[in-house]
mmCIF file with all atom_site columns, all heavy atoms in Angstrom:
data_model
loop_
_atom_site.group_PDB
_atom_site.id
_atom_site.type_symbol
_atom_site.label_atom_id
_atom_site.label_alt_id
_atom_site.label_comp_id
_atom_site.label_asym_id
_atom_site.label_entity_id
_atom_site.label_seq_id
_atom_site.pdbx_PDB_ins_code
_atom_site.Cartn_x
_atom_site.Cartn_y
_atom_site.Cartn_z
_atom_site.occupancy
_atom_site.B_iso_or_equiv
_atom_site.pdbx_formal_charge
_atom_site.auth_seq_id
_atom_site.auth_comp_id
_atom_site.auth_asym_id
_atom_site.auth_atom_id
_atom_site.pdbx_PDB_model_num
ATOM 1   N N   . VAL A 1 113 ? 158.211 68.113 119.956 1.00 0.00 ? 775 VAL A N   1
ATOM 2   C CA  . VAL A 1 113 ? 158.513 68.419 118.540 1.00 0.00 ? 775 VAL A CA  1
ATOM 3   C C   . VAL A 1 113 ? 159.614 69.491 118.455 1.00 0.00 ? 775 VAL A C   1
ATOM 4   O O   . VAL A 1 113 ? 160.544 69.357 117.673 1.00 0.00 ? 775 VAL A O   1
ATOM 5   C CB  . VAL A 1 113 ? 157.210 68.821 117.761 1.00 0.00 ? 775 VAL A CB  1
ATOM 6   C CG1 . VAL A 1 113 ? 157.574 69.338 116.400 1.00 0.00 ? 775 VAL A CG1 1
ATOM 7   C CG2 . VAL A 1 113 ? 156.264 67.639 117.669 1.00 0.00 ? 775 VAL A CG2 1
ATOM 8   N N   . LEU A 1 114 ? 159.443 70.530 119.282 1.00 0.00 ? 776 LEU A N   1
ATOM 9   C CA  . LEU A 1 114 ? 160.509 71.590 119.267 1.00 0.00 ? 776 LEU A CA  1
ATOM 10  C C   . LEU A 1 114 ? 161.821 71.064 119.705 1.00 0.00 ? 776 LEU A C   1
ATOM 11  O O   . LEU A 1 114 ? 162.861 71.333 119.108 1.00 0.00 ? 776 LEU A O   1
ATOM 12  C CB  . LEU A 1 114 ? 160.050 72.732 120.216 1.00 0.00 ? 776 LEU A CB  1
ATOM 13  C CG  . LEU A 1 114 ? 158.874 73.613 119.721 1.00 0.00 ? 776 LEU A CG  1
ATOM 14  C CD1 . LEU A 1 114 ? 158.467 74.599 120.811 1.00 0.00 ? 776 LEU A CD1 1
ATOM 15  C CD2 . LEU A 1 114 ? 159.212 74.320 118.415 1.00 0.00 ? 776 LEU A CD2 1
ATOM 16  N N   . ASP A 1 115 ? 161.850 70.244 120.769 1.00 0.00 ? 777 ASP A N   1
ATOM 17  C CA  . ASP A 1 115 ? 163.095 69.689 121.278 1.00 0.00 ? 777 ASP A CA  1
ATOM 18  C C   . ASP A 1 115 ? 163.784 68.822 120.279 1.00 0.00 ? 777 ASP A C   1
ATOM 19  O O   . ASP A 1 115 ? 165.011 68.840 120.094 1.00 0.00 ? 777 ASP A O   1
ATOM 20  C CB  . ASP A 1 115 ? 162.878 68.850 122.549 1.00 0.00 ? 777 ASP A CB  1
ATOM 21  C CG  . ASP A 1 115 ? 162.538 69.726 123.744 1.00 0.00 ? 777 ASP A CG  1
ATOM 22  O OD1 . ASP A 1 115 ? 162.719 70.965 123.638 1.00 0.00 ? 777 ASP A OD1 1
ATOM 23  O OD2 . ASP A 1 115 ? 162.093 69.186 124.775 1.00 0.00 ? 777 ASP A OD2 1
ATOM 24  N N   . LEU A 1 116 ? 163.004 68.007 119.535 1.00 0.00 ? 778 LEU A N   1
ATOM 25  C CA  . LEU A 1 116 ? 163.585 67.143 118.527 1.00 0.00 ? 778 LEU A CA  1
ATOM 26  C C   . LEU A 1 116 ? 164.214 67.962 117.425 1.00 0.00 ? 778 LEU A C   1
ATOM 27  O O   . LEU A 1 116 ? 165.357 67.706 116.986 1.00 0.00 ? 778 LEU A O   1
ATOM 28  C CB  . LEU A 1 116 ? 162.506 66.219 117.910 1.00 0.00 ? 778 LEU A CB  1
ATOM 29  C CG  . LEU A 1 116 ? 162.044 65.087 118.837 1.00 0.00 ? 778 LEU A CG  1
ATOM 30  C CD1 . LEU A 1 116 ? 160.890 64.310 118.202 1.00 0.00 ? 778 LEU A CD1 1
ATOM 31  C CD2 . LEU A 1 116 ? 163.151 64.097 119.151 1.00 0.00 ? 778 LEU A CD2 1
ATOM 32  N N   . GLY A 1 117 ? 163.469 69.035 116.984 1.00 0.00 ? 779 GLY A N   1
ATOM 33  C CA  . GLY A 1 117 ? 163.958 69.848 115.865 1.00 0.00 ? 779 GLY A CA  1
ATOM 34  C C   . GLY A 1 117 ? 165.207 70.671 116.277 1.00 0.00 ? 779 GLY A C   1
ATOM 35  O O   . GLY A 1 117 ? 166.165 70.840 115.517 1.00 0.00 ? 779 GLY A O   1
ATOM 36  N N   . GLN A 1 118 ? 165.133 71.225 117.496 1.00 0.00 ? 780 GLN A N   1
ATOM 37  C CA  . GLN A 1 118 ? 166.238 72.125 117.899 1.00 0.00 ? 780 GLN A CA  1
ATOM 38  C C   . GLN A 1 118 ? 167.448 71.331 118.477 1.00 0.00 ? 780 GLN A C   1
ATOM 39  O O   . GLN A 1 118 ? 168.574 71.864 118.387 1.00 0.00 ? 780 GLN A O   1
ATOM 40  C CB  . GLN A 1 118 ? 165.732 73.062 118.993 1.00 0.00 ? 780 GLN A CB  1
ATOM 41  C CG  . GLN A 1 118 ? 164.743 74.087 118.487 1.00 0.00 ? 780 GLN A CG  1
ATOM 42  C CD  . GLN A 1 118 ? 163.987 74.774 119.622 1.00 0.00 ? 780 GLN A CD  1
ATOM 43  O OE1 . GLN A 1 118 ? 164.239 74.495 120.788 1.00 0.00 ? 780 GLN A OE1 1
ATOM 44  N NE2 . GLN A 1 118 ? 163.027 75.625 119.272 1.00 0.00 ? 780 GLN A NE2 1
ATOM 45  N N   . ALA A 1 119 ? 167.203 70.151 119.017 1.00 0.00 ? 781 ALA A N   1
ATOM 46  C CA  . ALA A 1 119 ? 168.339 69.500 119.720 1.00 0.00 ? 781 ALA A CA  1
ATOM 47  C C   . ALA A 1 119 ? 168.515 68.058 119.247 1.00 0.00 ? 781 ALA A C   1
ATOM 48  O O   . ALA A 1 119 ? 169.439 67.732 118.475 1.00 0.00 ? 781 ALA A O   1
ATOM 49  C CB  . ALA A 1 119 ? 168.152 69.552 121.203 1.00 0.00 ? 781 ALA A CB  1
ATOM 50  N N   . PHE A 1 120 ? 167.671 67.161 119.674 1.00 0.00 ? 782 PHE A N   1
ATOM 51  C CA  . PHE A 1 120 ? 167.938 65.715 119.583 1.00 0.00 ? 782 PHE A CA  1
ATOM 52  C C   . PHE A 1 120 ? 168.038 65.156 118.164 1.00 0.00 ? 782 PHE A C   1
ATOM 53  O O   . PHE A 1 120 ? 168.773 64.230 117.899 1.00 0.00 ? 782 PHE A O   1
ATOM 54  C CB  . PHE A 1 120 ? 166.925 64.887 120.413 1.00 0.00 ? 782 PHE A CB  1
ATOM 55  C CG  . PHE A 1 120 ? 166.925 65.297 121.861 1.00 0.00 ? 782 PHE A CG  1
ATOM 56  C CD1 . PHE A 1 120 ? 165.904 66.074 122.366 1.00 0.00 ? 782 PHE A CD1 1
ATOM 57  C CD2 . PHE A 1 120 ? 167.993 64.957 122.710 1.00 0.00 ? 782 PHE A CD2 1
ATOM 58  C CE1 . PHE A 1 120 ? 165.904 66.449 123.712 1.00 0.00 ? 782 PHE A CE1 1
ATOM 59  C CE2 . PHE A 1 120 ? 167.990 65.338 124.019 1.00 0.00 ? 782 PHE A CE2 1
ATOM 60  C CZ  . PHE A 1 120 ? 166.942 66.098 124.520 1.00 0.00 ? 782 PHE A CZ  1
ATOM 61  N N   . TRP A 1 121 ? 167.275 65.761 117.237 1.00 0.00 ? 783 TRP A N   1
ATOM 62  C CA  . TRP A 1 121 ? 167.368 65.320 115.843 1.00 0.00 ? 783 TRP A CA  1
ATOM 63  C C   . TRP A 1 121 ? 168.101 66.380 115.000 1.00 0.00 ? 783 TRP A C   1
ATOM 64  O O   . TRP A 1 121 ? 168.068 66.299 113.779 1.00 0.00 ? 783 TRP A O   1
ATOM 65  C CB  . TRP A 1 121 ? 166.005 65.023 115.267 1.00 0.00 ? 783 TRP A CB  1
ATOM 66  C CG  . TRP A 1 121 ? 165.371 63.757 115.768 1.00 0.00 ? 783 TRP A CG  1
ATOM 67  C CD1 . TRP A 1 121 ? 165.961 62.851 116.633 1.00 0.00 ? 783 TRP A CD1 1
ATOM 68  C CD2 . TRP A 1 121 ? 164.065 63.251 115.512 1.00 0.00 ? 783 TRP A CD2 1
ATOM 69  N NE1 . TRP A 1 121 ? 165.089 61.867 116.935 1.00 0.00 ? 783 TRP A NE1 1
ATOM 70  C CE2 . TRP A 1 121 ? 163.895 62.041 116.234 1.00 0.00 ? 783 TRP A CE2 1
ATOM 71  C CE3 . TRP A 1 121 ? 163.017 63.694 114.695 1.00 0.00 ? 783 TRP A CE3 1
ATOM 72  C CZ2 . TRP A 1 121 ? 162.746 61.279 116.195 1.00 0.00 ? 783 TRP A CZ2 1
ATOM 73  C CZ3 . TRP A 1 121 ? 161.864 62.902 114.658 1.00 0.00 ? 783 TRP A CZ3 1
ATOM 74  C CH2 . TRP A 1 121 ? 161.735 61.731 115.375 1.00 0.00 ? 783 TRP A CH2 1
ATOM 75  N N   . ASN A 1 122 ? 168.683 67.359 115.614 1.00 0.00 ? 784 ASN A N   1
ATOM 76  C CA  . ASN A 1 122 ? 169.343 68.410 114.900 1.00 0.00 ? 784 ASN A CA  1
ATOM 77  C C   . ASN A 1 122 ? 170.827 68.024 114.666 1.00 0.00 ? 784 ASN A C   1
ATOM 78  O O   . ASN A 1 122 ? 171.737 68.523 115.269 1.00 0.00 ? 784 ASN A O   1
ATOM 79  C CB  . ASN A 1 122 ? 169.261 69.725 115.720 1.00 0.00 ? 784 ASN A CB  1
ATOM 80  C CG  . ASN A 1 122 ? 169.805 70.932 114.898 1.00 0.00 ? 784 ASN A CG  1
ATOM 81  O OD1 . ASN A 1 122 ? 170.244 70.760 113.793 1.00 0.00 ? 784 ASN A OD1 1
ATOM 82  N ND2 . ASN A 1 122 ? 169.785 72.075 115.538 1.00 0.00 ? 784 ASN A ND2 1
ATOM 83  N N   . PHE A 1 123 ? 171.008 67.076 113.768 1.00 0.00 ? 785 PHE A N   1
ATOM 84  C CA  . PHE A 1 123 ? 172.345 66.550 113.479 1.00 0.00 ? 785 PHE A CA  1
ATOM 85  C C   . PHE A 1 123 ? 173.230 67.587 112.789 1.00 0.00 ? 785 PHE A C   1
ATOM 86  O O   . PHE A 1 123 ? 174.423 67.519 112.910 1.00 0.00 ? 785 PHE A O   1
ATOM 87  C CB  . PHE A 1 123 ? 172.266 65.246 112.656 1.00 0.00 ? 785 PHE A CB  1
ATOM 88  C CG  . PHE A 1 123 ? 171.702 64.122 113.427 1.00 0.00 ? 785 PHE A CG  1
ATOM 89  C CD1 . PHE A 1 123 ? 170.351 63.794 113.311 1.00 0.00 ? 785 PHE A CD1 1
ATOM 90  C CD2 . PHE A 1 123 ? 172.490 63.413 114.311 1.00 0.00 ? 785 PHE A CD2 1
ATOM 91  C CE1 . PHE A 1 123 ? 169.817 62.756 114.051 1.00 0.00 ? 785 PHE A CE1 1
ATOM 92  C CE2 . PHE A 1 123 ? 171.942 62.353 115.057 1.00 0.00 ? 785 PHE A CE2 1
ATOM 93  C CZ  . PHE A 1 123 ? 170.613 62.049 114.940 1.00 0.00 ? 785 PHE A CZ  1
ATOM 94  N N   . LYS A 1 124 ? 172.579 68.543 112.146 1.00 0.00 ? 786 LYS A N   1
ATOM 95  C CA  . LYS A 1 124 ? 173.381 69.621 111.479 1.00 0.00 ? 786 LYS A CA  1
ATOM 96  C C   . LYS A 1 124 ? 174.201 70.366 112.530 1.00 0.00 ? 786 LYS A C   1
ATOM 97  O O   . LYS A 1 124 ? 175.348 70.712 112.317 1.00 0.00 ? 786 LYS A O   1
ATOM 98  C CB  . LYS A 1 124 ? 172.444 70.608 110.772 1.00 0.00 ? 786 LYS A CB  1
ATOM 99  C CG  . LYS A 1 124 ? 172.110 70.170 109.345 1.00 0.00 ? 786 LYS A CG  1
ATOM 100 C CD  . LYS A 1 124 ? 171.927 71.398 108.437 1.00 0.00 ? 786 LYS A CD  1
ATOM 101 C CE  . LYS A 1 124 ? 171.673 70.921 107.029 1.00 0.00 ? 786 LYS A CE  1
ATOM 102 N NZ  . LYS A 1 124 ? 170.248 70.636 106.792 1.00 0.00 ? 786 LYS A NZ  1
ATOM 103 N N   . LYS A 1 125 ? 173.536 70.647 113.663 1.00 0.00 ? 787 LYS A N   1
ATOM 104 C CA  . LYS A 1 125 ? 174.202 71.369 114.787 1.00 0.00 ? 787 LYS A CA  1
ATOM 105 C C   . LYS A 1 125 ? 175.450 70.636 115.202 1.00 0.00 ? 787 LYS A C   1
ATOM 106 O O   . LYS A 1 125 ? 176.499 71.225 115.432 1.00 0.00 ? 787 LYS A O   1
ATOM 107 C CB  . LYS A 1 125 ? 173.235 71.488 115.951 1.00 0.00 ? 787 LYS A CB  1
ATOM 108 C CG  . LYS A 1 125 ? 173.666 72.353 117.068 1.00 0.00 ? 787 LYS A CG  1
ATOM 109 C CD  . LYS A 1 125 ? 172.579 72.447 118.123 1.00 0.00 ? 787 LYS A CD  1
ATOM 110 C CE  . LYS A 1 125 ? 173.122 72.893 119.454 1.00 0.00 ? 787 LYS A CE  1
ATOM 111 N NZ  . LYS A 1 125 ? 172.155 72.736 120.510 1.00 0.00 ? 787 LYS A NZ  1
ATOM 112 N N   . ALA A 1 126 ? 175.358 69.299 115.287 1.00 0.00 ? 788 ALA A N   1
ATOM 113 C CA  . ALA A 1 126 ? 176.527 68.510 115.721 1.00 0.00 ? 788 ALA A CA  1
ATOM 114 C C   . ALA A 1 126 ? 177.534 68.405 114.587 1.00 0.00 ? 788 ALA A C   1
ATOM 115 O O   . ALA A 1 126 ? 178.760 68.530 114.850 1.00 0.00 ? 788 ALA A O   1
ATOM 116 C CB  . ALA A 1 126 ? 176.058 67.107 116.119 1.00 0.00 ? 788 ALA A CB  1
ATOM 117 N N   . GLU A 1 127 ? 177.080 68.217 113.386 1.00 0.00 ? 789 GLU A N   1
ATOM 118 C CA  . GLU A 1 127 ? 177.968 67.988 112.212 1.00 0.00 ? 789 GLU A CA  1
ATOM 119 C C   . GLU A 1 127 ? 178.829 69.235 111.947 1.00 0.00 ? 789 GLU A C   1
ATOM 120 O O   . GLU A 1 127 ? 179.976 69.123 111.437 1.00 0.00 ? 789 GLU A O   1
ATOM 121 C CB  . GLU A 1 127 ? 177.169 67.637 110.951 1.00 0.00 ? 789 GLU A CB  1
ATOM 122 C CG  . GLU A 1 127 ? 176.573 66.239 110.923 1.00 0.00 ? 789 GLU A CG  1
ATOM 123 C CD  . GLU A 1 127 ? 177.588 65.213 110.404 1.00 0.00 ? 789 GLU A CD  1
ATOM 124 O OE1 . GLU A 1 127 ? 178.769 65.537 110.275 1.00 0.00 ? 789 GLU A OE1 1
ATOM 125 O OE2 . GLU A 1 127 ? 177.150 64.098 110.176 1.00 0.00 ? 789 GLU A OE2 1
ATOM 126 N N   . THR A 1 128 ? 178.288 70.420 112.173 1.00 0.00 ? 790 THR A N   1
ATOM 127 C CA  . THR A 1 128 ? 179.015 71.656 111.792 1.00 0.00 ? 790 THR A CA  1
ATOM 128 C C   . THR A 1 128 ? 180.152 71.969 112.783 1.00 0.00 ? 790 THR A C   1
ATOM 129 O O   . THR A 1 128 ? 180.996 72.809 112.486 1.00 0.00 ? 790 THR A O   1
ATOM 130 C CB  . THR A 1 128 ? 178.032 72.876 111.724 1.00 0.00 ? 790 THR A CB  1
ATOM 131 O OG1 . THR A 1 128 ? 177.219 72.822 112.896 1.00 0.00 ? 790 THR A OG1 1
ATOM 132 C CG2 . THR A 1 128 ? 177.173 72.818 110.498 1.00 0.00 ? 790 THR A CG2 1
ATOM 133 N N   . ASP A 1 129 ? 180.185 71.302 113.942 1.00 0.00 ? 791 ASP A N   1
ATOM 134 C CA  . ASP A 1 129 ? 181.281 71.511 114.859 1.00 0.00 ? 791 ASP A CA  1
ATOM 135 C C   . ASP A 1 129 ? 182.539 70.793 114.329 1.00 0.00 ? 791 ASP A C   1
ATOM 136 O O   . ASP A 1 129 ? 182.508 69.589 114.102 1.00 0.00 ? 791 ASP A O   1
ATOM 137 C CB  . ASP A 1 129 ? 180.927 70.968 116.228 1.00 0.00 ? 791 ASP A CB  1
ATOM 138 C CG  . ASP A 1 129 ? 181.928 71.395 117.291 1.00 0.00 ? 791 ASP A CG  1
ATOM 139 O OD1 . ASP A 1 129 ? 183.119 71.319 117.048 1.00 0.00 ? 791 ASP A OD1 1
ATOM 140 O OD2 . ASP A 1 129 ? 181.474 71.825 118.389 1.00 0.00 ? 791 ASP A OD2 1
#
Side-chain angles (χ1 to χ4, degrees):
V775 170
L776 289 175
D777 288 348
L778 287 174
Q780 291 166 2
F782 301 105
W783 287 357
N784 188 359
F785 290 97
K786 273 212 176 86
K787 187 177 162 191
E789 287 275 11
T790 47
D791 190 315

